[in-house]
Amino acid sequence: MAMAKEIMGASLIDRSSFLRKQNQLLVNPFLVSLEKRRSVPFRKVVRGPTAAISEDLVKKALPLPLPADKAEKFKVRAVVTVRNKSKQDFKDSLVKHLDAFTDKIGRNVVLQLVSTEIDPKTKAPKRSNEAVLRDWSKKSNVKAERVNYTAEFMVNSSFGVPGAITVSNNHQMEFFLETITIEGFACGPVHFFCNSWVQSRKDHPGKRILFSNKPYLPSETPAGLRSLRENELREIRGDGKGARKLCDRVYDFDVYNDLGNPDRGIEFARPTLGGAKIPYPRRCRTGRHPTDTDMQAESRVEKPLPIYVPRDEQFEESKQDTFSAGRLKAVLHNLIPSLKASISADNHEFKGFSDIDNLYSEGVLLKLGLQDELLKKLPLPKVVSNIQESNRGLIKYDTPKILSKDKFAWLRDDEFGRQAIAGINPVSIERLKVFPPVSNLDPEIYGPQVSALKEEHILGYINGMTVQQALEENKLFIVDHHDAYLPFLDRINALDGRKAYATRTVFFLTPLGTLKPIAIELSLPLSGPTSRSKRVVTPAVDATTNWMWQLAKAHSCSNDAGVHQLVNHWLRTHACLEPFILAAHRQMSAMHPIFKLLDPHMRYTLEINALARQSLINADGVIESCFTPGRYAMEISAAAYKSSWRFDMENLPADLIRRGMAVPDPTKPHGLKLLIEDYPYATDGLLIWSAIENWVHSYVKHYYPNSSLICNDRELQAWYSESVNVGHGDLRHESWWPTLANADDLVSILTTLIWLASAQHAALNFGQYPYGGYVPNRPPLMRRLIPEQNDPEHANFFADPQKYFLSALPGVLQTTKFMAVVDTLSTHSPDEEYLGERQQPSIWTGDAQIVEAFYEFSAEIGRIEKEIEKRNHDIGRRNRCGAGVLPYELLAPSSGPGVTCRGVPNSVSI
């Protein structure tokens, strides 16, 4: 039945006598364009089994005829959909059976309808009688994913339309309330799209307030809902005091003062990020007590214990199953310590490239201290495709996509250039505007930062052009990480097992539209008057220079991997979005149309960011262990936030123009002209950007036909103000913040946020294992510099360059740890929702015009996917099609679960 698929009420309405009053059929406006909507293609989200609503239940949900003498009252019923947990531990099962028993004796789930109208006598909102959710105990053993219950209300004929419902959970256990549909009112079915945990009254004594799917601007809020709207927001904001419980749903701000653990030792102390000293975005407040040794540092919750995020932000069960049974917690908590214990001191480095290949064909030999019974207990990640339980336990990794078409592609210069515009970090490349390039670092602190690049370094590689001619014809491009790394190099290179340069890599745009690397500048800090702090390496002319060129490319990739992870990925999509999400929940009611628009793009972000603070970006965490900057990683991220992050430059067209990769051109689609025509990230990204912008424009214009409505929308203005002044408070005085005074301002802000949460994050995240899982292609750290001719290490390099190259890459433990983690980060969970999809697509809003517009947006995303597929088969696009060339699918909107190197989820969810 249609109702079993989504509680929209279409089939139920056909049978409902409530739609006939005085023998006149009342038309539900929601259904007027149903047939038209069905004609629009829409990719359905795959759902689990549902307890189908039987014919008997439908009949029971219909009203009973009332005596004439009681015509002023009538009955209405609610159909309530609760999602069951698929797995329960012993305690959960015990409490569930206890709730089933106590439900019979009056400790029930109680609902009450609240009208949109005020009672003229009491001056309070009109309310129905309280009604008990029926048959809870009877259905306690139903195994379906979703179970439907009913409740019956008696209301006056003057009740009006229900706009809210209160829920009191008198059981011991929380439950997940998915939807409520009220049948019986003349207006047709009233839908409540809840998707929320309802806590037991023992944990939260107050009644839970849930609003119908009809959106209201604050000024349009019906009188009966105004106080409820304000009360709900007040509860969500909390009072900023005390430690949060896991069952709370309080959203608040705090600084990043929980990354270090000074109680464990001074080497585990880390500076607070956020504040005048080190500006940084704010994160979700947990309120944990301070550490014993530093009152300004918050105590840590270490894995596998859960870290607080508001209850509705926690992973749903299928996501949690993917994550905990096969993902980050299992990798970090179980696999890595076992690898540490098993890799002997004489097996820290790869002896040859075949050792790395064997990770995919033979596996990692777990040979020390790892008994068979321990192997059986390890919850291994999905990347582990085979375990041979013998006296030689093996763990195999899936072959990364970079090796799938051409095993040696990573060695080629054209592939190195292609990945700068179609790889995992296509957002660092810029057009070279002046030669030699210029540093923006303060010469008073860092000395004169004159580039070592000279014209003679590149003249032989630019097709007979002069350098000036190549600049003027937009043929020179650069990936410049000099200023990001140089201030930290002294400290990084003092770390054990870390050696890094600050790199600049120059590319030439060939007549075929591909990029050719032509020079790599490697800089070290000025440590003395005679030190050689800068050197330039150019493409090979013989065997020795070939190995030096490969080492220089590896150092360039290592720099790029750090900037990608710490700045472009973590900072720009994870950390910088969190303040907007916190403020949205704190300042905009669930009834607010803009909250409804943003809702799917905020899913899971607070949870994944909290898990990152717990295991990834913390002291001695994965990022510090696996990437070149080590313990200074988050300081590099903070330095980028202070020096280069600008919200007004985070939208795709502005970013492309800022980097010189495009120029404004009103005659072109999207209003700009790309200087590299076959720039896969940009060409595909612009299609998605425009689709998002058109959808948001339609949405905003529908609710804000004039600018005064935006200026006078107190919730909207409070959201944006708090996002800027609190969430990004360290940069609040910057002049570049966009204003929010008219519809164009709002469209731009919202489009940017949705772009960052969906397509930008996807482009930067889901290729991490496909490209980085083969460490020589993209080493996350380097352990050796390139030896000068008079260096002691030069003889070793000269005698066995392959051994030296491998010794410069991460060791075995670092490699396997990194591979396991980037596999986790590159994985789609089964419950992923992709761009163009929404839960309950027909009833997420009560506005039929907006539902129609969303289906049109979804159809456009489907058309974009087909266009991307077509581009990947166009042999004229050499950066995404050719012999051994990987197609560019990171912005292809849909995906199945797992590591697919494609798919654009709605939100930053991993």
Side-chain angles (χ1 to χ4, degrees), residues 653 662-674 686-687 690 871:
V663 292
D665 186 342
T667 67
K668 297 284 184 181
H670 319 295
L672 52 78
K673 176 186 177 184
L674 291 172
L686 285 167
L687 294 178
S690 293
R871 290 174 176 182

Side-chain angles (χ1 to χ4, degrees), residues 80-81 109 140 142 149 156 278 312 493 610 632 657 661 687 704 715 733 799 860 871:
V80 178
T81 303
V109 176
S140 61
V142 174
Y149 302 91
N156 291 323
I278 306 181
D312 288 343
N493 288 335
Y632 306 107
I657 292 169
M661 302 302 291
L687 294 178
Y704 299 100
E715 287 183 7
H733 297 305
E860 178 60 21
R871 290 174 176 182

Side-chain angles (χ1 to χ4, degrees), residues 390-647:
S390 65
N391 59 355
R392 305 197 321 152
L394 295 171
I395 299 179
K396 285 172 62 176
Y397 289 82
D398 292 337
T399 302
K401 199 169 183 179
I402 184 65
L403 301 179
S404 64
K405 282 196 164 190
D406 183 349
K407 183 177 177 181
F408 302 106
W410 68 277
L411 282 165
R412 298 198 317 265
D413 285 358
D414 62 285
E415 176 63 17
F416 179 80
R418 190 191 74 83
Q419 288 186 33
I421 53 175
I424 190 55
N425 186 35
V427 299
S428 284
I429 190 167
E430 303 174 272
R431 179 171 62 85
L432 187 57
K433 296 166 186 172
V434 294
F435 188 89
V438 178
S439 170
N440 292 318
L441 294 175
D442 186 349
E444 295 291 324
I445 301 174
Y446 300 106
Q449 296 301 315
V450 179
S451 173
L453 283 161
K454 308 294 183 189
E455 289 197 8
E456 54 264 31
H457 289 129
I458 67 172
L459 276 175
Y461 305 103
I462 55 177
N463 287 14
M465 294 182 176
T466 65
V467 172
Q468 187 59 35
Q469 186 180 4
L471 288 172
E472 290 172 357
E473 295 187 20
N474 302 320
K475 299 296 184 184
L476 294 177
F477 295 84
I478 188 169
V479 174
D480 189 345
H481 298 315
H482 177 277
D483 289 5
Y485 277 89
L486 195 81
F488 297 91
L489 278 185
D490 276 333
R491 287 174 283 171
I492 291 171
N493 288 335
L495 297 171
D496 187 35
R498 297 286 202 284
K499 287 294 179 281
Y501 298 99
T503 65
R504 290 185 175 113
T505 306
V506 180
F507 298 89
F508 176 71
L509 181 63
T510 71
L512 296 176
T514 59
L515 288 176
K516 178 173 70 176
I518 58 175
I520 298 174
E521 182 185 36
L522 307 168
S523 297
L524 293 169
L526 289 167
S527 54
T530 59
S531 70
R532 186 176 176 188
S533 64
K534 298 178 187 294
R535 64 189 296 186
V536 176
V537 182
T538 53
V541 294
D542 58 23
T544 302
T545 54
N546 175 66
W547 280 106
M548 293 181 70
W549 179 239
Q550 294 300 338
L551 279 166
K553 289 196 296 182
H555 274 283
S556 171
C557 285
S558 175
N559 265 207
D560 196 60
V563 169
H564 161 255
Q565 197 68 269
L566 299 167
V567 180
N568 296 333
H569 178 207
W570 165 256
L571 173 67
R572 291 173 63 184
T573 64
H574 284 260
C576 286
L577 280 179
E578 187 158 347
F580 290 95
I581 294 170
L582 290 169
H585 286 278
R586 287 167 53 82
Q587 301 298 340
M588 286 194 289
S589 166
M591 288 190 280
H592 200 293
I594 301 304
F595 184 91
K596 289 182 179 293
L597 173 69
L598 290 176
D599 188 37
H601 306 290
M602 303 189 288
R603 186 182 188 222
Y604 291 156
T605 303
L606 298 186
E607 169 85 337
I608 196 62
N609 286 4
L611 289 169
R613 299 203 316 275
Q614 189 177 44
S615 302
L616 288 177
I617 63 173
N618 59 303
D620 202 34
V622 172
I623 300 297
E624 289 194 2
S625 300
C626 294
F627 287 84
T628 291
R631 63 175 295 158
Y632 306 107
M634 292 305 291
E635 291 181 59
I636 286 180
S637 180
Y641 178 68
K642 181 181 180 180
S643 66
S644 61
W645 185 82
R646 289 180 51 159
F647 182 75

Side-chain angles (χ1 to χ4, degrees), residues 15-18 20 59-77 152-154 184:
R15 299 175 178 86
S16 176
S17 61
F18 287 122
R20 293 177 175 85
K59 289 173 183 174
K60 287 178 182 177
L62 300 181
L64 303 174
L66 292 171
D69 61 338
K70 294 188 177 180
E72 72 278 3
K73 286 188 178 283
F74 63 99
K75 290 180 182 178
V76 296
R77 284 189 174 86
E152 186 177 277
F153 304 91
M154 186 71 77

Side-chain angles (χ1 to χ4, degrees), residues 123-143:
K123 307 300 182 185
K126 296 177 182 177
R127 293 176 185 263
S128 71
N129 64 306
E130 291 188 336
V132 170
L133 213 56
R134 293 177 170 180
D135 297 329
W136 188 282
S137 58
K138 190 183 296 184
K139 296 182 179 181
S140 61
N141 292 320
V142 174
K143 300 300 183 186

